[in-house]
Amino acid sequence: MNEMLSGIINNAFFVFFPIFLYYLFYHQGRDRFFNNDKFILTILFSISVTLCMFFPYQFLMTEDYLFDLRQVPLIIGTLYGGYIVGAVLFVVSAVVRLIIGGGDGVVIALLNQFAIFAVVPLFRRAYFKLVHRKRIAVITMISAGSLAFNAFAGALLFNDPLLEVLDMWFILLLNQSLFIILTTIVIERIMKNNYIEQNMQKHEKLEVISHLSASISHEIRNPLQVIKGFIQLLHTKEYDREKQKEFYQYMNEEIESAERIISDYLMFAKPTFDDQETISVEREIEKAVSIIQPYANLSSVSIQYTGLASDHLIDCDHQRFKQVIINIARNSIEAMEGGGKLTFKVKGDKDHVLVIIADTGKGMTGEEVIRLGEPYYSNKATGTGLGMMVVYSILKNIHGTIEVNSMPDKGTEFLIRFPKSMQQPK
Ligand code: ADP
Ligand code: MG
């Protein structure tokens, strides 16, 4: 009894371990079991089939038959993986069966294993159209059919006494059904979770976009409204030159405020986040520096940038990358009213590219650093409080991180870490 139980438990473990390993290491971002990881899953399933076959178990009522759960990984692997995976699993199981050897069993086993390889893939198309519950029903029937095949093949080809050991076949049926159902449920659950996870990410991105577009149109409408008001005033009544000048002054301020909002967001408010490209951090920083150089000159800030000797690659839309650099650099320049030094550095390690932007400006208290990135958080008379929010949103989308070290009256240092691109430099 004990022996039988431990045999079954061993087999159950052999059946489950590929799924657990897969779940631990490979599940993220995968949409269909076996679709993305055919190679590794085929190896895991081959090991599973082999172990099942080398450590079979025996039922109490008969000494003549040995069983194992090989059909579970064989059927699941062939069904989810298709003909190529099925072929590998067939070859592995055939070789193992020949190594184990012994009597009539070999022929039946080989026939059965071949039948699984030949027939099961025919179900694939229909199978993947089914809802999860029906899939479990179908796979249970395939498993039962496969056992019936063995029973009848034994009876027909070798006159095995089918009726006398009907109870054993029945228990075997329950046994194998239980494990194939459990395994399928786990696989289907993993796939469903992946699906939900992916959709949530998409949903989150859309939410950021809709939130941003709503607030940008709101923010720009205000100045436009004010400008419109002044134009109407000028239109309906004759004002003296002084009054007119005053109005134009107001209108100009409103236009500038709209411009600031647009430039804080501008490149960010593009409709998708998916147009990723591989860019050189050094080249893009160079471009960003040339854009902010005039602004720095205006505040007598000198820019130091060395790093053009190398090329570190990351995957990010080049506009958004520049937006990150420009929004941070602008804040730095604005923090150095009486002039100062703005430094850019680029470093790379195994997995990341690190961009360091440091200023000698007025710095921030710990509290202020924490509030960075909050929408509309600004300490400036004409600030939008959008610059850092946009920086944080962009970085979140490309899995970048930012660390801020700041000392009041000393300066601020931004450490921005980007995941390194998989592309190799040309
Ligand atoms: P804005 O620049 O429109 O005020 P931001 O989101 O770009 O909005 O910045 C928010 C606030 O964070 C700024 O108003 C400023 O007080 C603070 N800040 C950002 N960067 C720096 C910096 N380099 N040095 C000092 N303060 C900074
Ligand atoms: Mg700013």
Side-chain angles (χ1 to χ4, degrees):
M1 180 74 184
N2 264 346
E3 215 168 288
M4 178 183 95
L5 272 183
S6 69
I8 294 179
I9 291 170
N10 279 346
N11 265 254
F13 172 76
F14 302 148
V15 167
F16 286 144
F17 91 87
I19 319 281
F20 286 139
L21 280 186
Y22 175 78
Y23 188 68
L24 279 181
F25 298 111
Y26 288 93
H27 75 292
Q28 260 153 359
R30 304 306 207 217
D31 50 357
R32 197 204 265 179
F33 193 65
F34 257 108
N35 244 20
N36 305 83
D37 305 300
K38 267 206 171 109
F39 184 71
I40 188 80
L41 273 172
T42 308
I43 292 178
L44 288 175
F45 270 60
S46 301
I47 297 175
S48 170
V49 169
T50 310
L51 286 172
C52 280
M53 294 173 74
F54 272 123
F55 300 97
Y57 55 90
Q58 209 166 37
F59 284 121
L60 291 179
M61 53 274 254
T62 165
E63 306 251 297
D64 299 335
Y65 291 84
L66 277 176
F67 294 102
D68 59 66
L69 290 174
R70 85 185 75 155
Q71 293 192 8
V72 175
L74 278 179
I75 292 173
I76 289 182
T78 310
L79 185 59
Y80 281 86
Y83 270 116
I84 298 175
V85 178
V88 176
L89 293 179
F90 167 66
V91 170
V92 169
S93 61
V95 169
V96 173
R97 192 61 190 86
L98 289 173
I99 292 173
I100 293 172
D104 308 344
V106 180
V107 178
I108 297 176
L110 289 184
L111 277 177
N112 171 259
Q113 285 155 202
F114 184 78
I116 291 177
F117 154 70
V119 176
V120 168
L122 301 177
F123 288 92
R124 292 188 80 219
R125 214 166 232 268
Y127 182 79
F128 287 115
K129 285 199 188 118
L130 295 176
V131 293
H132 293 205
R133 212 177 311 142
K134 286 194 179 147
R135 287 185 186 181
I136 289 164
V138 168
I139 211 161
T140 312
M141 283 189 299
I142 295 177
S143 148
S146 167
L147 280 181
F149 178 99
N150 277 4
F152 285 113
L156 289 178
L157 296 177
F158 302 103
N159 291 321
D160 283 353
L162 179 55
L163 288 176
E164 283 165 32
V165 285
L166 216 49
D167 51 349
M168 179 205 74
W169 281 106
F170 182 68
I171 292 179
L172 186 58
L173 175 73
L174 288 183
N175 207 259
Q176 182 163 307
S177 301
L178 171 72
F179 288 109
I180 205 161
I181 288 174
L182 277 179
T183 314
T184 312
I185 289 177
V186 173
I187 292 173
E188 293 292 325
R189 189 65 59 82
I190 293 174
M191 281 168 15
K192 195 168 162 192
N193 284 349
N194 276 343
Y195 180 77
I196 292 173
E197 208 171 278
Q198 278 174 359
N199 271 308
M200 243 161 53
Q201 282 169 6
K202 230 180 262 167
H203 181 79
E204 216 171 83
K205 284 178 187 173
L206 285 179
E207 196 143 63
V208 175
I209 295 175
S210 69
H211 179 81
L212 282 180
S213 356
S215 58
I216 190 172
S217 49
H218 172 78
E219 290 301 304
I220 293 206
R221 196 165 285 138
N222 279 344
L224 290 182
Q225 223 82 46
V226 176
I227 296 167
K228 208 161 141 190
F230 281 117
I231 291 179
Q232 266 160 6
L233 279 182
L234 287 165
H235 201 64
T236 47
K237 224 174 122 191
E238 282 300 323
Y239 287 96
D240 59 47
R241 186 77 198 128
E242 275 313 300
K243 202 72 193 164
Q244 279 186 19
K245 262 191 184 161
E246 196 185 317
F247 284 1
Y248 286 128
Q249 176 62 30
Y250 287 139
M251 283 159 75
N252 203 31
E253 276 168 22
E254 292 302 319
I255 291 173
E256 272 170 9
S257 131
E259 261 176 1
R260 262 195 307 275
I261 293 164
I262 292 173
S263 67
D264 270 349
Y265 272 120
L266 187 65
M267 308 161 211
F268 181 66
K270 279 169 100 186
T272 77
F273 282 100
D274 294 330
D275 41 330
Q276 297 233 327
E277 46 187 338
T278 302
I279 55 171
S280 150
V281 169
E282 280 82 357
R283 304 298 131 196
E284 294 304 324
I285 291 182
E286 190 185 9
K287 289 181 204 159
V289 165
S290 70
I291 294 173
I292 51 162
Q293 187 72 60
Y295 193 53
N297 293 345
L298 218 60
S299 324
S300 9
V301 167
S302 69
I303 296 183
Q304 269 199 355
Y305 177 40
T306 48
L308 283 168
S310 52
D311 267 325
H312 288 95
L313 302 185
I314 62 168
D315 293 320
C316 177
D317 178 89
H318 71 281
Q319 300 276 40
R320 292 202 185 94
F321 178 80
K322 267 198 312 234
Q323 179 99 59
V324 167
I325 303 299
I326 291 172
N327 283 9
I328 291 175
R330 256 208 357 221
N331 283 341
S332 286
I333 295 170
E334 285 160 9
M336 298 183 279
E337 274 162 11
K341 204 165 80 182
L342 177 59
T343 326
F344 293 87
K345 272 188 209 137
V346 183
K347 288 179 189 166
D349 65 24
K350 204 164 115 272
D351 304 314
H352 297 96
V353 180
L354 179 67
V355 175
I356 304 169
I357 304 178
D359 65 52
T360 55
K362 64 169 175 247
M364 285 173 276
T365 62
E367 186 122 328
E368 286 172 326
V369 170
I370 290 172
R371 292 200 61 186
L372 273 184
E374 221 173 84
Y376 309 115
Y377 166 66
S378 175
N379 296 312
K380 298 168 196 167
T382 58
T384 63
L386 298 174
M388 288 308 289
M389 182 201 67
V390 167
V391 166
Y392 280 67
S393 306
I394 295 176
L395 287 176
K396 188 169 164 225
N397 265 298
I398 58 168
H399 307 291
T401 58
I402 185 164
E403 188 187 323
V404 184
N405 301 317
S406 194
M407 285 262 277
D409 301 321
K410 286 271 170 3
T412 308
E413 184 186 54
F414 294 87
L415 304 165
I416 316 152
R417 210 167 255 113
F418 299 91
K420 199 165 131 186
S421 171
M422 290 298 151
Q423 310 278 338
Q424 291 302 311
K426 290 185 197 82

